[in-house]
Amino acid sequence: MSATRPITIMSYIQKVIVAGTGGSIGPAITSALHAANFTVSVLFRKSSTSTYPSYVNVLNTDYSPPSLLKAFQGQDAVVGAVGSMGTLEQIKMIDAAAEVGVKRFISSDVCHLVKESEENKNLTWTYVASGFFLDWALLEFPAFGFVMKAKTATIYDSGTAPVTGTTRASVGTAIANVLKHLAETANRTVRTCTAVVTQNDILLAFEEATEAKWNVTKADIKDVLADAKEALKKQ
């Protein structure tokens, strides 16, 4: 595997199309790309109820190879944000991107991208590794330990284990920066991190911000994992 082969052609990126914009990360990516002066398009299923700002070009697709080829024609870069459940669709997107001459594909499906880029020297790839989405976990994932409206916190074990996280806005900015630095980011993983914090750090920050003591419950992470395994067995 030659993931570090030299890049002989580095072209300017202007037109970027994003797939998977209906999820939690898509809007942050399109916003950051627009702020960085890229021309932004999105793939859109007819069954989708998502809405987009006026600066976004909406291109319909059913994720069949012909519709992807049509959507990717003339695009300089593709950002695949379809998540793990869309792996098969992402593979089809990579194949279509290579066929029509897309220069850069940003994706989580590194294995297929490496294979395709080795066969098609004009297609390069970047994998943006961000860890979990910190703002999403704090606002929308109570299992992370914090419920802001109720001012409650569940602290696992001692609460001192460091956690690496990135905000969705920071992921979007990282992707925009990748596309501005093509040679430096070609065919490699780029890591981004907003903060390394502990649960105790977060609790202290929340209590200071709200000027209130939060209701804190202690939990043993081993017990939590055991309960989760039992729940999975019953599904």
Side-chain angles (χ1 to χ4, degrees), residues 23-36:
S24 65
I25 188 63
I29 295 173
T30 56
S31 177
L33 291 172
H34 174 66

Side-chain angles (χ1 to χ4, degrees), residues 11-13 75-77 97 101-105 122-125:
S11 301
Y12 176 71
I13 297 290
Q75 298 290 334
D76 299 315
V102 168
K103 303 175 186 71
R104 177 63 57 88
F105 203 114
N122 292 323
L123 177 67
T124 58
W125 59 269

Side-chain angles (χ1 to χ4, degrees), residues 9-16 33 36-39 74-77 101-104 176 178-183:
I9 299 176
M10 269 295 127
S11 301
Y12 176 71
I13 297 290
Q14 179 57 48
K15 296 182 178 180
V16 185
L33 291 172
N37 297 316
F38 291 102
T39 301
Q75 298 290 334
D76 299 315
V102 168
K103 303 175 186 71
R104 177 63 57 88
V178 162
L179 295 175
K180 288 182 175 181
H181 299 86
L182 293 178

Side-chain angles (χ1 to χ4, degrees), residues 97-119:
E99 186 170 338
V100 300
V102 168
K103 303 175 186 71
R104 177 63 57 88
F105 203 114
I106 298 177
S107 170
S108 58
D109 181 22
V110 178
C111 293
H112 191 71
L113 263 174
V114 170
K115 177 178 179 294
E116 191 64 58
S117 68
E118 288 180 343
E119 295 175 357

Side-chain angles (χ1 to χ4, degrees), residues 109-165:
D109 181 22
V110 178
C111 293
H112 191 71
L113 263 174
V114 170
K115 177 178 179 294
E116 191 64 58
S117 68
E118 288 180 343
E119 295 175 357
N120 185 328
K121 302 302 181 183
N122 292 323
L123 177 67
T124 58
W125 59 269
T126 306
Y127 170 52
V128 176
S130 63
F132 77 104
F133 301 145
L134 183 60
D135 53 334
W136 172 82
L138 291 174
L139 296 172
E140 303 178 38
F141 189 58
F144 184 57
F146 300 93
V147 181
M148 297 180 68
K149 288 184 178 180
K151 295 184 176 65
T152 61
T154 301
I155 301 299
Y156 300 110
D157 296 336
S158 64
T160 58
V163 178
T164 301

Side-chain angles (χ1 to χ4, degrees), residues 14-232:
Q14 179 57 48
K15 296 182 178 180
V16 185
I17 187 166
V18 184
T21 51
S24 65
I25 188 63
I29 295 173
T30 56
S31 177
L33 291 172
H34 174 66
N37 297 316
F38 291 102
T39 301
V40 184
S41 299
V42 299
L43 284 180
F44 181 82
R45 291 183 188 270
K46 290 183 178 179
S47 60
S48 174
T49 58
S50 298
T51 59
Y52 301 96
S54 59
Y55 61 77
V56 172
N57 302 312
V58 179
L59 302 177
N60 290 326
T61 185
D62 58 5
Y63 283 91
S64 65
S67 74
L68 291 172
L69 289 170
K70 182 179 179 180
F72 291 168
Q73 192 70 46
Q75 298 290 334
D76 299 315
V78 177
V79 179
V82 295
S84 59
M85 299 301 291
T87 298
L88 293 179
E89 291 174 342
Q90 194 146 239
I91 289 173
K92 289 189 288 184
M93 288 192 293
I94 294 167
D95 292 339
E99 186 170 338
V100 300
V102 168
K103 303 175 186 71
R104 177 63 57 88
F105 203 114
I106 298 177
S107 170
S108 58
D109 181 22
V110 178
C111 293
H112 191 71
L113 263 174
V114 170
K115 177 178 179 294
E116 191 64 58
S117 68
E118 288 180 343
E119 295 175 357
N120 185 328
K121 302 302 181 183
N122 292 323
L123 177 67
T124 58
W125 59 269
T126 306
Y127 170 52
V128 176
S130 63
F132 77 104
F133 301 145
L134 183 60
D135 53 334
W136 172 82
L138 291 174
L139 296 172
E140 303 178 38
F141 189 58
F144 184 57
F146 300 93
V147 181
M148 297 180 68
K149 288 184 178 180
K151 295 184 176 65
T152 61
T154 301
I155 301 299
Y156 300 110
D157 296 336
S158 64
T160 58
V163 178
T164 301
T166 310
T167 65
R168 288 168 287 189
S170 293
V171 174
T173 300
I175 289 172
N177 286 336
V178 162
L179 295 175
K180 288 182 175 181
H181 299 86
L182 293 178
E184 301 94 326
T185 60
N187 302 333
R188 57 167 293 187
T189 296
V190 173
R191 292 177 171 82
T192 181
C193 171
T194 300
V196 179
V197 295
T198 69
Q199 278 195 300
N200 289 342
D201 294 333
I202 296 171
L203 175 61
L204 178 61
F206 277 155
E207 289 186 334
E208 290 179 349
T210 59
E211 298 181 344
K213 291 295 291 182
W214 283 35
N215 184 20
V216 177
T217 301
K218 296 286 187 176
D220 188 318
I221 194 64
K222 292 181 180 179
D223 293 337
V224 174
L225 291 175
D227 291 342
K229 289 179 181 178
E230 286 299 318
L232 282 174

